[in-house]
Amino acid sequence: MAVVEGAVSEVFRAVDLTGVFANAVLGGVIARHEGLDPVGFAALAIMSGLGGGAIRDTLLQHGTPIALTDYAYLLTALGAAALTFVVHVRGPLWDQAWPVVDAVALGTWAATGAQKTLAVGLGWLPAVLLGTITAVGGGAVRDIVLRRVPTVLGGNTLYATCAVAASAVMVALSLTGHPTTGLVAATLTGAALCLLARRRGWILPQGDSWSPSQVVVRSRDRLRVRVLGRRQRPDPKEKPMTSASPVSAVLAGLPAVRGWQEDFYRDLHADPELSHQERRTAAAVAARLNEFGYQVHEGVGGTGVVGLLANGAGPTVLLRADMDALPVREATGLPYASTVTATDDDGTQVPVMHACGHDAHVTCLLGAAALLAQGRERWAGTLVALFQPAEETGDGARGMVADGLADLVGPVSVALGQHVLPMPAGQVGTRRGAVLSAADSLRITVHGRGGHGSMPQATVDPVVLAAMIVVRLQTIIAREVPPDEPAVLTIGSIQAGTKSNIISDHAVLQVNIRSYSDQTRRTILDAIHRIVTAECQASGSPSPPQFELFDRYPLTDNDPAATDRVADALVAHFGERAVRLPLQTASEDFSDIPTALGVPYTYWGIGGTDPDTYRAAEAAGTLSRDIPVNHSARFAPVIQPTLDTGTEALVTAALAWLAPVSAPASAPAAPVRHGT
């Protein structure tokens, strides 16, 4: 029997080349987003485009794989690679196109794999099997090269199941004498099932209670169990998947979420927005929350977004992420680096970059929101997904509170937040008590008497006055704050004069302080007032100094009980990757929200630095030199495992309150708490 003959041969070749093109596009886009060089980019795209067919032909032992003998295959893969290299696809349009391309890739190769197996004389069962292997082969090879778990092995998706169905359609129609129709029908079947599974969130059940005859279908308002050949109504007294923990059951959906998450992150990183200007980001967040089935409130405190998901009686857990970026010119060299500029509040055109990781925060919270919506049968209560604007200006949280946040969300049980930090990616760190400093910025204006630079005797020079103040302020931390009390004082700006031969009549200093207790804060502020006033008097200043307090951030002081609860849950999930977070000198306005709501809170850190790079710098003693920190133009968290870790941490922490409590058969050993 000829391998593929006549009209069937032409249709087979067209369908097979369509699969090559679709898979090569997927490989090229992923290569572009991973930042591979041109050689690596081409290799990954071609490998994805030709991988499934090569595996098929090799397993059939039917001579040299057709991809190596028919130049149309190689040229098609190269064309797709060139297209994705020249056209940097990203954004909402690609978010919609990606599932279609992926579905077409699966359907075409399932059809051709099954048909070619039948054509060489093998039976229907090998045809279904090899059709499935062909369909998932290119993507599996690509994922393995990128050191990822192949999508087909994600455990919870119906990816391979769709390929089996498409292969079965091909076999059925071919054996009944309609191979050409079978190629088209199988392609459409596989593609349609793949798209439907993505849209409806179909997954395979997890745990010991799984039966091959069942497929669990999660919808927005109920859990249904479909049994092949007939419908079965779930026993209301029996909870599905009882053997799996709530955390593992909910996180089983992570592989399916990961695909859009990574693309969403790259798009957000490439198109950042300044504080109070997060309109595009807010719209993208609201669209996703609506898609997940949340009650969505937009424009809270300006551009803030709040999603509510009520799921029966139980606690209300608030998860928060900040959305704004910084006026920094990006220097990461990433293929998705920002080139955006915007007009700031002063009317100045400035570069904009997500230099503090807020793009990762948004993406992780959206992923957690999606997973908790899909897995709502494993928890009870209400989830509040809060996306806050203007953290970098210190007034975003207060703006949401002032705009009626408390009335919007109702009584809240606990508020939870996290931040990506320059620590090894994959780690998550918690800390009881003070974790982020309080911050105060002061603008101090000192007055002199101006004049000609050649006649200083007739002036009171504010530059000399400011210089003396700078020197004396350094003694506050060294001599007035106890050695065991962390505190920081920085003079970040001095401005005076306009010309070298003119002595100005005033100087402006901008001072920033960080403290971890109200007493220390008051000590530092009082000392600043005392020293500045005394120096002005000593210099004969004609007017008293002026003090303006601005950009104040509250102390982030983690509630001990809430922190212990989260730390225990994170240790149970992450094991040794859950660590104790060192005291941080950065500041946040997150705590303004739980303080206003009158609820406990805890705030933890996740690592964003490549672990190998971090360990090498640590061993060399060059962490401060070689590891970019937040607000640096080179700060760019590695996409994975950063996004997975942040998403898993939010889900795990939320379920520490939302998951139903059941008494274990025997009390387990208490986990070692690293986060206190």
Side-chain angles (χ1 to χ4, degrees), residues 579-592:
V579 299
R580 185 176 187 270
L581 185 68
L583 192 65
Q584 303 293 305
T585 52
S587 302
E588 254 273 12
D589 68 344
F590 160 70
S591 62
D592 278 334

Side-chain angles (χ1 to χ4, degrees), residues 211-230:
S211 165
S213 64
Q214 294 183 351
V215 176
V216 176
V217 184
R218 283 191 176 90
S219 69
R220 289 183 175 176
D221 57 348
R222 61 192 183 280
L223 178 74
R224 304 190 303 277
V225 178
R226 291 183 180 173
V227 181
L228 300 182
R230 62 187 177 88

Side-chain angles (χ1 to χ4, degrees), residues 3-169:
V3 175
V4 186
E5 295 182 344
V8 178
S9 174
E10 294 303 318
V11 175
F12 175 92
R13 192 165 184 269
V15 172
D16 211 25
L17 287 173
T18 301
V20 169
F21 183 84
N23 276 285
V25 166
L26 296 175
V29 171
I30 291 174
R32 181 72 178 260
H33 287 164
E34 289 293 330
L36 301 185
D37 61 29
V39 174
F41 176 93
L44 190 67
I46 294 171
M47 191 181 303
S48 300
L50 304 180
I55 291 172
R56 172 195 66 204
D57 295 346
T58 301
L59 290 176
L60 287 174
Q61 297 183 346
H62 190 79
T64 304
I66 191 172
L68 301 180
T69 59
D70 187 338
Y71 285 167
Y73 282 77
L74 182 58
L75 290 174
T76 299
L78 282 171
L83 177 66
T84 52
F85 187 81
V86 173
V87 181
H88 189 185
V89 287
R90 68 168 189 253
L93 182 61
W94 177 244
D95 287 344
Q96 298 173 15
W98 171 279
V100 176
V101 176
D102 196 27
V104 169
L106 178 139
T108 51
W109 273 3
T112 58
Q115 171 61 17
K116 196 163 188 177
T117 305
L118 291 172
V120 299
L122 297 180
W124 68 269
L125 186 57
V128 172
L129 177 61
L130 199 55
T132 303
I133 292 173
T134 305
V136 304
V141 169
R142 177 189 66 225
D143 291 342
I144 290 170
V145 169
L146 292 175
R147 296 186 295 178
R148 298 174 171 176
V149 176
T151 303
V152 68
L153 301 180
N156 70 308
T157 66
L158 292 181
Y159 199 80
T161 307
C162 298
V164 170
S167 302
V169 169

Side-chain angles (χ1 to χ4, degrees), residues 459-522:
T459 70
V460 174
D461 192 341
V463 174
V464 175
L465 170 56
M468 299 305 295
I469 290 172
V470 169
V471 173
R472 285 296 305 272
L473 290 183
Q474 306 307 309
T475 66
I476 296 175
I477 305 300
R479 292 294 179 264
E480 300 193 39
V481 175
D484 60 349
E485 178 69 22
V488 178
L489 187 152
T490 298
I491 297 95
S493 171
I494 303 177
Q495 295 177 330
T498 57
K499 202 171 184 293
S500 62
N501 65 343
I502 299 175
I503 295 175
S504 177
D505 61 358
H506 72 282
V508 179
L509 301 87
Q510 294 193 61
V511 182
N512 181 261
I513 67 171
R514 309 283 171 139
S515 58
Y516 294 91
S517 71
D518 286 338
Q519 180 178 347
T520 300
R521 174 179 178 269
R522 191 70 262 160

Side-chain angles (χ1 to χ4, degrees), residues 217-360:
V217 184
R218 283 191 176 90
S219 69
R220 289 183 175 176
D221 57 348
R222 61 192 183 280
L223 178 74
R224 304 190 303 277
V225 178
R226 291 183 180 173
V227 181
L228 300 182
R230 62 187 177 88
R231 285 203 170 194
Q232 173 178 308
R233 181 173 298 172
D235 184 348
K237 298 179 182 179
E238 187 174 309
K239 290 185 177 180
M241 300 184 290
T242 53
S243 63
S245 72
V247 172
S248 62
V250 172
L251 288 178
L254 183 57
V257 168
R258 185 182 295 125
W260 67 256
Q261 254 191 319
E262 293 178 2
D263 291 335
F264 187 94
Y265 169 78
R266 294 183 184 97
D267 181 63
L268 198 58
H269 186 90
D271 206 349
E273 295 170 300
L274 292 174
S275 303
H276 297 295
Q277 299 180 21
E278 310 93 334
R279 287 176 286 276
R280 178 181 179 274
T281 303
V285 165
R288 290 282 179 178
L289 291 176
N290 276 308
E291 178 185 335
F292 303 152
Y294 284 70
Q295 178 187 351
V296 180
H297 300 271
E298 301 180 61
V300 183
T303 54
V305 180
V306 178
L308 301 174
L309 186 65
N311 192 35
T316 295
V317 173
L318 186 151
L319 302 178
R320 174 266 197 182
D322 39 13
M323 301 188 292
D324 54 331
L326 287 160
V328 174
R329 188 178 304 281
E330 183 160 357
T332 62
L334 291 169
Y336 50 91
S338 169
T339 57
V340 170
T341 60
T343 304
D344 65 12
D345 291 341
D346 296 328
T348 304
Q349 196 76 5
V350 295
V352 188
M353 174 193 175
H354 269 299
C356 200
H358 296 186
D359 45 354

